[in-house]
Amino acid sequence: ELKRLEPLQAATQFISKHYPNCQGALLAGSVVRGEATHTSDLDLVIFDDSFTSSFRESLIEFGWAIEVFSHNLASYQAFFKSDCKRARPSMPRMISEGIILADKGVMQSIKKEAKQLLEKGPEKWSEETISLKRYFISDALDDLIGSSNTGEALFIANTLAYITHEFVLRTNGHWIGDSKWIVRSLNDYNERFSKEFVEAFDTFYKTGSKDKVIQLVDKVLAPHGGRLFEGFSLGKESLDQ
């Protein structure tokens, strides 16, 4: 088996081979965070003014699976914007934590921009949004409590886990996650709560017992008035004008 190069070495060689004239390049992702596993790939972000738009591609070189995120000096901002809107800041995170591999004087300001966005956190939820989300969580919780079908209950629990993590993080001004980033985002917010969260769903998946999940969800909803069903309405015009 070919011994693969060290991540930084592979990344640097990849850039000088394929993008020698780029304005800037970064190595980001799990190898930079010290969280790499044997399935991890190299995430490279490249800034090059000759690109007409953003694109990404996946290649295998120097023994590594390499994911390339390519931008020009304007196109990355649309990604910053949409990431912040959905409250999952993948792009700002990659750039702020990335190790600079090449720089023609642009990287510091782009990194600074990313860091400021991350520190600012996502947009605050309106009262209306909080009510709507409370309603959906209450509804899913009721479905879980009432479900006696194992298959259905599994996927209700999946949905409940996602919308509950979203509710906790957004009502506390934190970024949310997706997939493995759900737990990472919960940890960033509060490690003790994160542990409790994982344990509640883990217990349900292993034993079918719903008690911990119910307690957890009720605890999350409590500061905002608890479960919401009675009197909730959406899109109904006031009739008594």
Side-chain angles (χ1 to χ4, degrees), residues 86-106:
R86 63 175 197 175
R88 295 208 313 266
S90 326
M91 183 78 186
R93 196 183 275 127
M94 280 172 88
I95 289 174
S96 104
E97 69 188 12
I99 295 170
I100 296 175
L101 304 167
D103 185 13
K104 293 194 176 148
V106 300

Side-chain angles (χ1 to χ4, degrees), residues 6 8 40 42 58 99 103 143 161 184 201-203 206 224:
E6 282 303 303
L8 204 56
S40 292
L42 294 183
S58 305
I99 295 170
D103 185 13
D143 278 349
R184 291 175 182 180
F201 284 94
D202 193 36
T203 301
K206 283 179 177 159
H224 302 275

Side-chain angles (χ1 to χ4, degrees), residues 200-214:
F201 284 94
D202 193 36
T203 301
F204 168 71
Y205 290 132
K206 283 179 177 159
T207 69
S209 164
K210 302 168 183 175
D211 295 350
K212 284 186 173 170
V213 170
I214 297 165

